[in-house]
Amino acid sequence: MSFVLALAAGLASPLAFSQAQPAAPKSKTALVADLISRMTLDEKIGQLRLISIGPEMPIAQLADEIAAGRVGGTFNSVNRPDNRRLQDAAMKSRLKIPMFYAYDVIHGHRTTFPIGLGLASSWDLGAVDVMARTAAREASADSIDMTFAPMVDIARDPRWGRTSEGFGEDPYLVSEIAKAAVKGFQGGTLPVPAGRIMTAVKHFALYGAVEGGRDYNTVDMSPMRMYQDYLPPYRAAIDAGSGGVMVALNSINGVPATSNTWLMQDLLRKDWGFKGVAVSDHGAIIELIRHGVAKDEREAAKLAINNGIDLSMADSVYLKELPGLVKSGEVSMKAIDNAVREVLGAKYDMGLFRDPYLRIGVAKDDPPDLNADSRLSRPAAREVARKSMVLLENRNRTLPLARSAAIALVGPLADAPIDMLGSWSAAGYSKNAVTLRAGLNAAVAKDGKGRVIYARGANITNDEGVVKYLNFLNWDTPEVTQDPRTPAEMIAEAVKAAQQADVVVAAVGEARGMSHESSSRTSLDLPQSQRDLITALKATGKPLVLVLMNGRPLALVREQQEADAILETWYTGTEGGNAIADVLYGDYNPAGKLPISFPRSVGQIPTYYNHPRLGRPFTEGKPGNYTSQYYEEVTGPLYPFGYGLSYTDFTLSDVTLSSPTMARNGKVEASVTVKNTGQRAGEAVVQLYIQDVAASVVRPVKELRDFRKLMLQPGEERQVRFTVDEDKLKFFNAQLRRVAEPGRFNVQIGFDSQSVREQGFELLQ
Ligand code: BGC
């Protein structure tokens, strides 16, 4: 890694660039100021437009617009010949300001890695780095300069379809991943070298807290919760150097993010010192009219530009309205110049003024086939995918499977290439994806002992309305293809397969479109078609393994009873089928842990583990009356945050603290001994939580503050030491000041958020 970083730094040095372009590089400030002084108003406004290449703007027209200085960047054009043609057009414009090209490189580019929830389940920042740097390299090779990532919206309501894209419910874990992702994509500090791409962290802010988990809904939140729980990941990405920020579509406490001056000015620019470019989300400026805070396009443009929205994505209001607004004095030239400065500054930081063709390269090197297998990073994708799976159940050690087993492989997701990729797979190509069926067949063919008997068993859903919804976009391949047979016929075939087999592996869950933008749900159940299939399979008496593919926590009470083993795979990406086979056969010992709690039912939402303390909490084993619970259901999540099994067993010693007190600015060391008491090598994730026993405001029951993943051989034991310093005790008080208050703290260490060992200490005055 250090070698690659050093290489990246070398590439970024003026020396490396000066070889490509002999002109002495100007400083960023000087270059940008000089350009601004020479730009016309129309040219300035042009720079603020981010246009999607597509049917409304064919490439020839776009090239003309660019040559006339009316476009600053594009998104969705993902190949070098097109982007070269557009860059050529920019080089013909009066001031030759280079274009930049953005894209949704979210969890991979040509190679698709696991979705956000899967990456987070690895609790492995190195895996996040591998995804981000690989995606950056591949996207850069396709002439992309900027990604609309990482998506770090905290999600605590799994009805929200975009839960899949993010990294879960916990501010600490999501913040750590946010930093790793920014560094992986950008390759360290700015300027971003070739082979890396600039990030635009999104969606600023609080998009994951839309009411009821219904996408685009309003967000209403106390400042304390915002500061404590929802804002830290954006801040972490910005502190890690993210060059851009994408602004959320939702409103916050009555004001849309796009026109929210507290958010964009006071917090982002003034408090946090953000110096990069702010990009609106798709059509968000014009949506200010529908939000009801702008009466027309003119007012929408005025609100957005005066709020520091530098780039307008996919609408024409800046183009149409800004000239008149400047003329009338409603928008100052200073506001326009500020936005232009950020856009040009970002282009500088992408290295484009030194070499506008930095990521476009020369035509002779263009790949003949964008989706060629040789362009993929399959080993990295398989490795990361293996790390992203969470073993939820494993009764009677049903898993790993015997090599010689005859497997009945059933379920609508057993052989669905497009679903392996998950939503926002962007440039991922479903024909390159290894399905579970292909992965198991390859494993069986390799050692020639076992057998796979495949039967689809069920459609994703029997609800044609849902199928229609999922196929709405009508992409090249339909998202969901229905088997025309009746449910009974399909189940009968699956049962027959089960009867001929030693074990049943059922790949069930959600089509990827069910966990996507705008795909909010009112239920977290598996669709009925699949529930019926599972019940029929259970009735055969054969051991039943559920391989789940889904983009949100599901309510699995019934499935937990029926299945012998459950493996949560999320959406594993291009190499998914091979990686799942590795886990099923035990070639890889699963070590993923949940980054989000699994409720028992939709009615239990929210179930996040780090909820505020209560005056009347429910206590396990005591009557529920007059305590905080739902009386018809077991209290607490089905699977807690941080949970996940292994094929081996681990024990944990009591927690030892280096001191019963901590001085101001001091430290306490907390240590535990972890032992692998099982028969296989495996990785444990040791999690450190802190509980503030009494504070000036209500604090969470506990909060994750550190974690360590370690590999232990059978019988091996190791001491794990955590340093708890004052920073780990800090929180936002009622005045929104980040403080550590003296008093008692409990250090809890465990293998998930519920089963922990505890030891207390006192922070002194
Ligand atoms: C999404 C963003 C995405 C953008 C561009 C929007 O609909 O909310 O996350 O980056 O489209 O594709």
Coordinates of all heavy atoms in Angstrom, one line a residue, residues 444-511:
V444 N -17.8 -27.6 -8.0 CA -18.1 -29.1 -8.2 C -17.2 -29.7 -9.3 O -16.6 -30.7 -9.2 CB -19.6 -29.3 -8.4 CG1 -19.9 -30.7 -8.9 CG2 -20.3 -29.1 -7.1
A445 N -17.2 -28.9 -10.4 CA -16.4 -29.4 -11.5 C -14.9 -29.5 -11.2 O -14.2 -30.4 -11.7 CB -16.5 -28.5 -12.7
K446 N -14.5 -28.7 -10.3 CA -13.0 -28.7 -9.9 C -12.6 -29.9 -9.2 O -11.6 -30.5 -9.5 CB -12.8 -27.4 -9.1 CG -11.3 -27.0 -9.1 CD -11.2 -25.6 -8.5 CE -9.9 -25.5 -7.8 NZ -10.0 -24.5 -6.7
D447 N -13.4 -30.3 -8.2 CA -13.0 -31.5 -7.5 C -13.8 -32.8 -7.8 O -13.5 -33.9 -7.3 CB -12.9 -31.3 -6.0 CG -14.2 -30.9 -5.4 OD1 -15.2 -31.3 -5.9 OD2 -14.2 -30.2 -4.4
G448 N -14.8 -32.6 -8.6 CA -15.5 -33.7 -9.2 C -16.3 -34.6 -8.2 O -16.6 -35.8 -8.6
K449 N -16.5 -34.2 -7.0 CA -17.1 -35.1 -6.0 C -18.6 -34.9 -5.9 O -19.4 -35.8 -5.8 CB -16.4 -34.9 -4.6 CG -15.0 -35.4 -4.6 CD -14.5 -35.4 -3.2 CE -13.0 -35.5 -3.1 NZ -12.5 -34.7 -2.1
G450 N -19.0 -33.6 -5.8 CA -20.4 -33.4 -5.5 C -21.3 -33.2 -6.8 O -20.9 -33.6 -7.9
R451 N -22.5 -32.7 -6.6 CA -23.4 -32.6 -7.7 C -24.4 -31.5 -7.4 O -24.7 -31.2 -6.2 CB -24.2 -33.9 -7.7 CG -25.0 -34.2 -8.9 CD -25.2 -35.8 -9.0 NE -26.0 -36.3 -7.9 CZ -27.3 -36.5 -8.0 NH1 -28.0 -36.2 -9.1 NH2 -28.0 -37.0 -7.0
V452 N -24.8 -30.7 -8.4 CA -25.7 -29.6 -8.2 C -27.0 -29.9 -9.0 O -26.9 -30.1 -10.3 CB -25.1 -28.3 -8.6 CG1 -26.2 -27.2 -8.5 CG2 -23.9 -28.0 -7.8
I453 N -28.1 -30.0 -8.4 CA -29.4 -30.2 -9.1 C -30.1 -28.8 -9.0 O -30.5 -28.4 -7.9 CB -30.2 -31.3 -8.5 CG1 -29.3 -32.5 -8.2 CG2 -31.5 -31.6 -9.3 CD1 -29.9 -33.4 -7.1
Y454 N -30.3 -28.2 -10.1 CA -30.9 -26.9 -10.1 C -32.4 -26.9 -10.4 O -32.9 -27.5 -11.3 CB -30.2 -25.9 -11.1 CG -30.9 -24.6 -11.3 CD1 -30.8 -23.6 -10.3 CD2 -31.6 -24.4 -12.4 CE1 -31.5 -22.4 -10.5 CE2 -32.3 -23.1 -12.6 CZ -32.2 -22.2 -11.6 OH -32.8 -21.0 -11.8
A455 N -33.2 -26.1 -9.6 CA -34.6 -25.8 -10.0 C -34.9 -24.4 -9.5 O -34.5 -24.1 -8.4 CB -35.5 -26.8 -9.3
R456 N -35.6 -23.6 -10.3 CA -35.8 -22.2 -9.9 C -36.7 -22.1 -8.7 O -36.5 -21.3 -7.8 CB -36.4 -21.5 -11.1 CG -36.7 -20.1 -10.8 CD -36.8 -19.2 -12.0 NE -37.4 -17.9 -11.8 CZ -37.2 -16.8 -12.5 NH1 -36.4 -16.9 -13.5 NH2 -37.8 -15.7 -12.2
G457 N -37.7 -22.9 -8.6 CA -38.6 -23.0 -7.4 C -39.6 -21.9 -7.2 O -40.7 -22.2 -6.7
A458 N -39.3 -20.7 -7.6 CA -40.3 -19.6 -7.5 C -39.8 -18.4 -8.3 O -38.6 -18.3 -8.5 CB -40.4 -19.2 -6.0
N459 N -40.7 -17.6 -8.6 CA -40.3 -16.2 -9.1 C -40.0 -15.3 -7.9 O -40.5 -15.6 -6.8 CB -41.5 -15.6 -9.9 CG -41.5 -16.3 -11.3 OD1 -40.4 -16.5 -11.9 ND2 -42.7 -16.5 -11.8
I460 N -39.3 -14.3 -8.2 CA -39.0 -13.3 -7.1 C -40.3 -12.9 -6.3 O -40.4 -12.9 -5.1 CB -38.4 -12.0 -7.7 CG1 -36.9 -12.2 -7.8 CG2 -38.7 -10.8 -6.9 CD1 -36.1 -12.1 -6.4
T461 N -41.3 -12.7 -7.1 CA -42.6 -12.3 -6.5 C -43.7 -12.8 -7.5 O -43.5 -12.9 -8.7 CB -42.8 -10.8 -6.2 OG1 -44.1 -10.5 -5.8 CG2 -42.4 -10.0 -7.4
N462 N -44.9 -13.0 -7.0 CA -46.0 -13.3 -7.9 C -46.8 -12.1 -8.1 O -47.9 -12.1 -8.8 CB -46.9 -14.4 -7.3 CG -46.2 -15.7 -7.2 OD1 -45.3 -16.0 -8.0 ND2 -46.6 -16.6 -6.3
D463 N -46.4 -11.0 -7.5 CA -47.1 -9.7 -7.6 C -46.7 -9.0 -8.9 O -45.6 -8.4 -9.0 CB -46.8 -8.9 -6.4 CG -47.6 -7.6 -6.4 OD1 -48.0 -7.1 -7.4 OD2 -47.9 -7.1 -5.2
E464 N -47.6 -9.0 -9.9 CA -47.3 -8.5 -11.2 C -47.1 -7.0 -11.1 O -46.3 -6.4 -11.9 CB -48.3 -8.8 -12.3 CG -48.3 -10.3 -12.7 CD -46.9 -10.8 -13.2 OE1 -46.2 -10.0 -13.9 OE2 -46.5 -11.9 -12.9
G465 N -47.7 -6.3 -10.2 CA -47.5 -4.9 -10.0 C -46.1 -4.6 -9.6 O -45.5 -3.6 -10.1
V466 N -45.6 -5.4 -8.7 CA -44.2 -5.2 -8.3 C -43.2 -5.4 -9.5 O -42.3 -4.7 -9.7 CB -43.8 -6.1 -7.1 CG1 -42.3 -6.0 -6.8 CG2 -44.6 -5.7 -5.9
V467 N -43.5 -6.5 -10.3 CA -42.7 -6.8 -11.4 C -42.7 -5.6 -12.4 O -41.6 -5.2 -12.9 CB -43.2 -8.1 -12.1 CG1 -42.4 -8.4 -13.4 CG2 -43.0 -9.3 -11.2
K468 N -43.8 -5.1 -12.6 CA -44.0 -3.9 -13.5 C -43.1 -2.7 -13.0 O -42.4 -2.1 -13.7 CB -45.4 -3.5 -13.6 CG -45.8 -2.7 -14.8 CD -47.3 -2.6 -15.0 CE -47.6 -1.4 -15.8 NZ -48.9 -0.8 -15.5
Y469 N -43.2 -2.5 -11.7 CA -42.5 -1.5 -11.1 C -41.0 -1.7 -11.3 O -40.2 -0.8 -11.7 CB -42.7 -1.4 -9.6 CG -41.8 -0.5 -8.8 CD1 -42.1 0.9 -8.8 CD2 -40.7 -0.9 -8.2 CE1 -41.3 1.8 -8.1 CE2 -39.8 -0.1 -7.5 CZ -40.1 1.3 -7.5 OH -39.3 2.2 -6.8
L470 N -40.5 -2.9 -11.1 CA -39.1 -3.2 -11.2 C -38.6 -3.1 -12.6 O -37.4 -2.8 -12.9 CB -38.8 -4.6 -10.6 CG -39.1 -4.8 -9.1 CD1 -38.9 -6.2 -8.7 CD2 -38.1 -3.9 -8.3
N471 N -39.5 -3.4 -13.6 CA -39.1 -3.3 -15.0 C -39.3 -2.0 -15.6 O -39.1 -1.8 -16.8 CB -39.7 -4.5 -15.8 CG -39.1 -5.8 -15.5 OD1 -37.9 -5.9 -15.1 ND2 -39.8 -6.9 -15.7
F472 N -39.7 -1.0 -14.8 CA -40.1 0.3 -15.3 C -39.0 0.9 -16.2 O -39.3 1.5 -17.2 CB -40.4 1.2 -14.1 CG -40.5 2.7 -14.4 CD1 -41.7 3.1 -15.0 CD2 -39.5 3.6 -14.2 CE1 -41.9 4.4 -15.3 CE2 -39.7 4.9 -14.5 CZ -40.9 5.4 -15.0
L473 N -37.8 0.8 -15.8 CA -36.7 1.5 -16.5 C -36.4 0.9 -17.9 O -35.8 1.6 -18.7 CB -35.5 1.6 -15.7 CG -35.5 2.7 -14.6 CD1 -34.2 2.7 -13.8 CD2 -35.8 4.0 -15.1
N474 N -36.8 -0.3 -18.0 CA -36.7 -1.0 -19.3 C -35.2 -0.9 -19.9 O -35.0 -0.4 -21.0 CB -37.6 -0.3 -20.3 CG -38.2 -1.3 -21.3 OD1 -37.8 -2.5 -21.2 ND2 -39.1 -0.9 -22.2
W475 N -34.3 -1.2 -19.0 CA -32.9 -1.2 -19.4 C -32.7 -2.3 -20.5 O -33.6 -3.1 -20.8 CB -32.0 -1.4 -18.2 CG -31.9 -0.2 -17.4 CD1 -31.8 1.1 -17.8 CD2 -31.9 -0.1 -16.0 NE1 -31.7 1.9 -16.8 CE2 -31.8 1.2 -15.6 CE3 -31.9 -1.1 -14.9 CZ2 -31.7 1.7 -14.3 CZ3 -31.9 -0.7 -13.6 CH2 -31.8 0.7 -13.3
D476 N -31.5 -2.5 -21.0 CA -31.2 -3.4 -22.0 C -31.8 -4.8 -21.7 O -32.5 -5.5 -22.5 CB -29.7 -3.6 -22.3 CG -29.0 -2.3 -22.5 OD1 -29.8 -1.3 -22.7 OD2 -27.8 -2.2 -22.5
T477 N -31.5 -5.3 -20.5 CA -32.1 -6.6 -20.1 C -33.2 -6.2 -19.1 O -32.9 -5.4 -18.2 CB -31.0 -7.4 -19.3 OG1 -29.7 -6.9 -19.7 CG2 -31.2 -8.8 -19.5
P478 N -34.3 -6.9 -19.1 CA -35.3 -6.6 -18.1 C -34.8 -6.9 -16.7 O -34.0 -7.9 -16.6 CB -36.5 -7.5 -18.4 CG -36.1 -8.4 -19.6 CD -34.8 -7.9 -20.1
E479 N -35.1 -6.2 -15.7 CA -34.6 -6.4 -14.4 C -35.1 -7.7 -13.9 O -34.4 -8.5 -13.2 CB -35.0 -5.3 -13.5 CG -34.3 -4.0 -13.6 CD -32.9 -4.1 -13.0 OE1 -32.7 -4.3 -11.8 OE2 -31.9 -3.9 -13.8
V480 N -36.3 -8.0 -14.1 CA -36.9 -9.2 -13.6 C -37.6 -10.0 -14.7 O -38.4 -9.4 -15.4 CB -38.0 -8.9 -12.5 CG1 -38.7 -10.1 -12.0 CG2 -37.4 -8.1 -11.4
T481 N -37.3 -11.3 -14.8 CA -37.9 -12.1 -15.8 C -38.8 -13.2 -15.1 O -38.2 -13.9 -14.3 CB -36.9 -12.8 -16.7 OG1 -35.8 -11.9 -17.0 CG2 -37.4 -13.4 -18.0
Q482 N -40.0 -13.2 -15.5 CA -40.9 -14.1 -14.8 C -40.9 -15.5 -15.5 O -41.0 -15.6 -16.7 CB -42.4 -13.6 -14.8 CG -42.6 -12.4 -13.9 CD -42.3 -12.6 -12.4 OE1 -41.2 -12.6 -11.9 NE2 -43.4 -12.9 -11.7
D483 N -40.8 -16.5 -14.7 CA -41.0 -17.9 -15.3 C -42.5 -18.1 -15.5 O -43.3 -17.9 -14.5 CB -40.4 -18.9 -14.3 CG -40.4 -20.3 -14.8 OD1 -41.4 -20.7 -15.4 OD2 -39.3 -20.9 -14.7
P484 N -43.0 -18.5 -16.7 CA -44.4 -18.6 -16.9 C -45.1 -19.7 -16.2 O -46.3 -19.8 -16.2 CB -44.5 -18.7 -18.4 CG -43.2 -19.3 -18.9 CD -42.1 -18.8 -17.8
R485 N -44.4 -20.6 -15.6 CA -45.0 -21.8 -15.0 C -45.8 -21.3 -13.7 O -45.5 -20.3 -13.2 CB -44.0 -22.8 -14.6 CG -43.4 -23.6 -15.8 CD -42.3 -24.5 -15.3 NE -41.2 -23.8 -14.8 CZ -40.1 -24.3 -14.2 NH1 -40.1 -25.6 -14.0 NH2 -39.1 -23.6 -13.7
T486 N -46.7 -22.1 -13.3 CA -47.5 -21.8 -12.1 C -46.6 -21.9 -10.9 O -45.6 -22.7 -10.9 CB -48.7 -22.7 -11.9 OG1 -48.2 -24.0 -11.6 CG2 -49.6 -22.7 -13.1
P487 N -46.9 -21.2 -9.8 CA -46.1 -21.4 -8.6 C -46.0 -22.9 -8.1 O -45.0 -23.4 -7.7 CB -46.8 -20.5 -7.5 CG -47.5 -19.5 -8.3 CD -47.9 -20.1 -9.6
A488 N -47.2 -23.5 -8.2 CA -47.2 -24.9 -7.8 C -46.3 -25.8 -8.6 O -45.6 -26.7 -8.1 CB -48.7 -25.5 -7.9
E489 N -46.2 -25.6 -9.9 CA -45.3 -26.4 -10.8 C -43.9 -26.1 -10.4 O -43.1 -27.1 -10.3 CB -45.5 -26.0 -12.2 CG -46.8 -26.5 -12.9 CD -47.1 -25.9 -14.3 OE1 -46.8 -24.7 -14.5 OE2 -47.6 -26.6 -15.1
M490 N -43.6 -24.9 -10.2 CA -42.2 -24.6 -9.8 C -41.8 -25.1 -8.5 O -40.7 -25.7 -8.3 CB -42.0 -23.0 -9.8 CG -42.1 -22.5 -11.2 SD -42.1 -20.7 -11.2 CE -40.5 -20.3 -11.0
I491 N -42.7 -25.1 -7.5 CA -42.4 -25.6 -6.2 C -42.2 -27.1 -6.3 O -41.3 -27.7 -5.7 CB -43.4 -25.2 -5.2 CG1 -43.2 -23.7 -4.8 CG2 -43.3 -26.1 -3.9 CD1 -44.2 -23.2 -3.8
A492 N -43.1 -27.8 -7.1 CA -43.0 -29.2 -7.2 C -41.6 -29.7 -7.8 O -41.0 -30.6 -7.3 CB -44.1 -29.7 -8.1
E493 N -41.2 -28.9 -8.7 CA -39.9 -29.2 -9.3 C -38.7 -29.1 -8.3 O -37.8 -29.9 -8.2 CB -39.6 -28.3 -10.5 CG -38.3 -28.6 -11.3 CD -37.9 -27.5 -12.2 OE1 -38.1 -26.3 -12.0 OE2 -37.2 -27.9 -13.2
A494 N -38.9 -28.0 -7.5 CA -37.8 -27.8 -6.4 C -37.9 -28.8 -5.4 O -36.8 -29.3 -4.9 CB -38.1 -26.4 -5.8
V495 N -39.1 -29.3 -5.0 CA -39.2 -30.3 -4.0 C -38.6 -31.6 -4.5 O -37.9 -32.3 -3.8 CB -40.7 -30.5 -3.6 CG1 -40.9 -31.8 -2.8 CG2 -41.1 -29.3 -2.8
K496 N -38.8 -31.9 -5.8 CA -38.2 -33.1 -6.4 C -36.7 -33.0 -6.3 O -36.0 -34.0 -6.0 CB -38.7 -33.2 -7.8 CG -38.6 -34.6 -8.4 CD -39.4 -34.7 -9.7 CE -38.7 -35.8 -10.6 NZ -38.6 -35.4 -12.0
A497 N -36.2 -31.9 -6.7 CA -34.7 -31.7 -6.6 C -34.2 -31.9 -5.2 O -33.2 -32.6 -4.9 CB -34.3 -30.3 -7.1
A498 N -35.0 -31.4 -4.2 CA -34.6 -31.5 -2.8 C -34.5 -33.0 -2.4 O -33.6 -33.5 -1.7 CB -35.5 -30.7 -1.9
Q499 N -35.6 -33.7 -2.9 CA -35.6 -35.1 -2.5 C -34.5 -36.0 -3.0 O -34.1 -37.0 -2.4 CB -37.0 -35.7 -3.0 CG -38.1 -35.3 -2.0 CD -39.5 -35.4 -2.6 OE1 -39.6 -35.5 -3.9 NE2 -40.5 -35.2 -1.8
Q500 N -33.9 -35.5 -4.1 CA -32.8 -36.2 -4.7 C -31.4 -35.8 -4.1 O -30.4 -36.3 -4.5 CB -32.7 -36.0 -6.2 CG -33.8 -36.5 -7.0 CD -33.9 -35.8 -8.4 OE1 -32.9 -35.2 -8.9 NE2 -35.0 -36.0 -9.0
A501 N -31.5 -34.8 -3.2 CA -30.2 -34.2 -2.8 C -29.9 -34.5 -1.3 O -30.8 -35.0 -0.6 CB -30.3 -32.7 -3.0
D502 N -28.7 -34.2 -0.9 CA -28.4 -34.3 0.6 C -28.7 -33.1 1.3 O -28.9 -33.1 2.5 CB -26.8 -34.6 0.7 CG -26.4 -35.8 0.0 OD1 -27.1 -36.8 0.1 OD2 -25.4 -35.7 -0.8
V503 N -28.7 -31.9 0.6 CA -28.9 -30.7 1.3 C -29.5 -29.7 0.3 O -29.3 -29.8 -0.9 CB -27.5 -30.1 1.8 CG1 -26.5 -29.9 0.7 CG2 -27.7 -28.8 2.6
V504 N -30.3 -28.8 0.8 CA -30.9 -27.8 -0.1 C -30.3 -26.4 0.2 O -30.1 -26.0 1.3 CB -32.4 -27.6 0.2 CG1 -33.1 -26.7 -0.8 CG2 -33.1 -29.0 0.1
V505 N -29.9 -25.8 -0.9 CA -29.4 -24.4 -0.8 C -30.4 -23.5 -1.6 O -30.6 -23.7 -2.8 CB -28.0 -24.2 -1.5 CG1 -27.5 -22.8 -1.5 CG2 -26.9 -25.0 -0.6
A506 N -31.0 -22.6 -0.9 CA -32.1 -21.8 -1.5 C -31.6 -20.3 -1.5 O -31.3 -19.7 -0.5 CB -33.4 -21.9 -0.7
A507 N -31.5 -19.8 -2.7 CA -31.0 -18.4 -2.9 C -32.3 -17.5 -3.0 O -33.0 -17.6 -4.0 CB -30.2 -18.3 -4.1
V508 N -32.6 -16.8 -1.9 CA -33.8 -16.1 -1.8 C -33.5 -14.7 -1.4 O -32.4 -14.4 -0.9 CB -34.8 -16.7 -0.8 CG1 -35.3 -18.1 -1.3 CG2 -34.1 -16.9 0.6
G509 N -34.5 -13.8 -1.6 CA -34.3 -12.4 -1.1 C -35.1 -11.4 -2.0 O -36.2 -11.7 -2.4
E510 N -34.4 -10.4 -2.4 CA -35.0 -9.3 -3.2 C -34.3 -9.2 -4.5 O -33.0 -9.3 -4.6 CB -34.8 -8.0 -2.4 CG -35.4 -7.9 -1.1 CD -35.1 -6.5 -0.4 OE1 -33.9 -6.2 -0.3 OE2 -36.1 -5.9 -0.1
A511 N -35.0 -8.9 -5.5 CA -34.4 -8.5 -6.8 C -33.7 -7.2 -6.5 O -34.2 -6.4 -5.6 CB -35.5 -8.3 -7.9

